[in-house]
Amino acid sequence: MVGQPSPKWKEVDFFVLADQHAEEATDKPPDGLYAWMVSAACFVSLMLSIGINDAYGVYQQHYQLNEFPQATTTLISWIGTVQFLIMCLGGVFSGFLCEHFDTRILNAAGALLMGVAFISGSYCKTVEMLMVTQGLLYGLGASFPFIAGTSIPSQWFTKNRGLATGIALSGSGIGGMWMTSATQALIDSLGRPWAMRVTGIVSMLAVLAVSPWMRVRLVPNRNERLIDWSLLKDLRFSVFMAALVFDIAAYFGPFFQMPSYSVVVLHKSQSWGSNIDTLMNGLSVLGRLIVGFLADHIGPLNLLIINTIIAAIGILVFWVPFESVRTFFVVVFLFGFSIGGIVSVIPVAAAQVFGIARLPSIIGLLFIGYFVGGLLGVPPMSALLDNVGGRTNYTSSIWYMGVLPLCSLVLLVVMRLLITRELKVKI
């Protein structure tokens, strides 16, 4: 009625799977100062592990236009794709290991492997060898900080879980932002080999430094299965996992292709193109923080749906029909903000709906979806650019990027309807 306040969002427990019995792994309480130190450590770990992967567009541009001009876009894109795929596949094993071994030691081991990968990659002079070092070896090392940094914050918070997770995951966007600019500057001033050596040393030392705080708070009853396939028996989890496949498939395309698009289509400089990735990473940080804050008030799954809508609008409404700098910036703003929000609320939504005790292994299972999403993302986009667009016409590739979030949107709406048909419910 007029004059009455609007009803608040309902707060209802929608756990599809009850939390399994878990033991406290530490006497440190949740929501306290130590919990925020853990969140800060996850921030740094993700800043280097995922941030470097987000900055691969600079290497893609350099390889494509300078170092390997005779190689196809598809072949070169496999370096960054392998990097992400192995990170996800390794995340499945990391989730299992995090439930059985000290995550602080695992995080430190990952840091060492990350450094070795980039330093050894600096001596590689072929695309194939870069796939092994910059791609496979780095992805394997980064999988430990990736799974730990993504899953641990939710265990340490009960009051501000969305905000704390958003802050931790904003590290990947901030890392991508400064790593993009730093990588371009290092390549311009020192050359690609030394750029990789500096990156390897910095990432290794920084992640090693924060590893003592990378610890879980809850240890569930031991499950000796590497992957808990019983999760897939619940239709809602299966739909959620399928939706993430399409969201992750859409994630890296713009980061990989926008720098070269800026040069080839908009006729800008290579540094201008790398700055676009920097800007988009900065916007993704903003998206992570804002959406993380809002998730505590209106629900992570609701925010995931809203952000997927924004991502689809950005690509299909403003990028597909236009080839101008102004509309391109609109795409960068909409997609950068929304994709940051998407990746930040995925673990929060998983914790909200499926419970937090086994969150590392749950997210490890979701990383199988990430792996499939990586295969459905950049490689087909690059193949369309090579074979349909002749390496200069990006239209077919952009259409593909836009259809992916639409597919995810349909599945997310189905999942929400399976849980509840009430509209104003915090979930």
Side-chain angles (χ1 to χ4, degrees):
M1 294 178 63
V2 178
Q4 292 185 348
S6 59
K8 294 182 178 180
W9 290 78
K10 286 186 179 180
E11 293 198 31
V12 184
D13 286 331
F14 282 103
F15 287 104
V16 176
L17 300 171
D19 259 337
Q20 301 190 15
H21 294 293
E23 298 177 356
E24 297 281 346
T26 172
D27 59 355
K28 305 291 184 181
D31 301 309
L33 177 61
Y34 191 87
W36 287 106
M37 291 295 293
V38 172
S39 182
C42 293
F43 172 94
V44 174
S45 286
L46 291 172
M47 179 175 66
L48 276 305
S49 59
I50 309 300
I52 287 175
N53 188 255
D54 284 353
Y56 176 73
V58 176
Y59 286 105
Q60 172 83 17
Q61 176 182 256
H62 174 78
Y63 294 148
Q64 183 178 334
L65 301 178
N66 300 309
E67 198 164 342
F68 308 112
Q70 303 304 317
T72 64
T73 307
T74 305
L75 180 63
I76 294 172
S77 71
W78 271 105
I79 300 172
T81 301
V82 167
Q83 190 179 80
F84 179 70
L85 292 179
I86 297 302
M87 198 183 303
C88 294
L89 191 60
V92 178
F93 295 89
S94 299
F96 176 81
L97 292 174
C98 283
E99 290 187 352
H100 291 75
F101 301 99
D102 193 325
T103 51
R104 294 168 292 185
I105 295 176
L106 294 174
N107 207 69
L112 292 171
L113 195 53
M114 286 163 56
V116 169
F118 256 64
I119 293 171
S120 59
S122 69
Y123 296 97
C124 297
K125 296 183 179 180
T126 66
V127 174
E128 291 76 13
M129 288 306 300
L130 286 167
M131 285 185 196
V132 175
T133 53
Q134 187 178 7
L136 189 150
L137 195 60
Y138 179 82
L140 185 60
S143 67
F144 290 99
F146 185 18
I147 185 70
T150 303
S151 61
I152 288 176
S154 292
Q155 289 195 349
W156 282 92
F157 292 87
T158 58
K159 297 177 182 178
N160 299 294
R161 182 177 295 161
L163 178 60
T165 305
I167 291 174
L169 267 66
S170 69
S172 60
I174 290 178
M177 184 169 59
W178 73 263
M179 281 300 304
T180 299
S181 299
T183 299
Q184 187 64 59
L186 287 169
I187 290 175
D188 290 341
S189 59
L190 302 177
R192 194 267 300 175
W194 270 106
M196 295 190 73
R197 290 165 199 153
V198 171
T199 300
I201 293 171
V202 169
S203 62
M204 178 174 61
L205 295 178
V207 177
L208 278 173
V210 300
S211 290
W213 287 274
M214 298 291 293
R215 63 189 305 183
V216 296
R217 190 177 72 84
L218 298 173
V219 178
N221 289 340
R222 298 303 185 193
N223 188 334
E224 297 307 320
R225 291 174 293 179
L226 178 60
I227 301 174
D228 188 0
W229 296 108
S230 64
L231 290 164
L232 295 175
K233 294 179 181 178
D234 191 290
L235 179 60
R236 289 161 288 194
F237 185 88
S238 297
V239 173
F240 183 57
M241 188 169 176
L244 299 189
V245 168
F246 291 105
D247 263 336
I248 297 303
Y251 181 89
F252 285 108
F255 283 100
F256 281 25
Q257 292 198 358
M258 278 184 171
S260 61
Y261 176 91
S262 302
V263 176
V264 175
V265 178
L266 300 181
H267 308 295
K268 299 295 183 177
S269 66
Q270 292 186 33
S271 60
W272 195 92
S274 66
N275 286 337
I276 288 298
D277 262 6
T278 301
L279 175 61
M280 195 153 58
N281 274 297
L283 290 164
S284 75
V285 173
L286 185 63
R288 284 170 168 86
L289 294 175
I290 292 177
V291 172
F293 173 77
L294 292 176
D296 291 322
H297 297 276
I298 66 175
L301 182 58
N302 295 326
L303 267 299
L304 188 56
I305 291 172
I306 292 171
N307 277 42
T308 302
I309 292 172
I310 296 173
I313 290 174
I315 295 176
L316 294 176
V317 176
F318 292 98
W319 199 2
V320 169
F322 305 103
E323 290 185 355
S324 70
V325 173
R326 289 182 179 179
T327 54
F328 185 62
F329 272 115
V330 174
V331 180
V332 170
F333 273 87
L334 291 178
F335 187 84
F337 178 87
S338 62
I339 206 66
I342 287 171
V343 298
S344 71
V345 296
I346 287 174
V348 185
Q352 174 85 0
V353 180
F354 305 110
I356 63 172
R358 297 209 60 217
L359 192 57
S361 61
I362 287 173
I363 292 182
L365 179 56
L366 291 178
F367 279 177
I368 294 178
Y370 282 37
F371 180 88
V372 176
L375 288 175
L376 291 178
V378 175
M381 294 175 197
S382 300
L384 286 170
L385 178 59
D386 282 333
N387 301 315
V388 179
R391 303 186 71 174
T392 59
N393 188 332
Y394 287 71
T395 303
S396 59
S397 181
I398 296 170
W399 266 111
Y400 185 77
M401 291 183 213
V403 169
L404 292 172
L406 277 183
C407 294
S408 177
L409 176 61
V410 172
L411 291 166
L412 289 171
V413 171
V414 169
M415 177 194 174
R416 196 185 188 285
L417 291 175
L418 288 171
I419 296 173
T420 178
R421 297 193 178 187
E422 292 188 57
L423 180 61
K424 206 167 186 180
V425 175
K426 177 183 173 181
I427 183 170

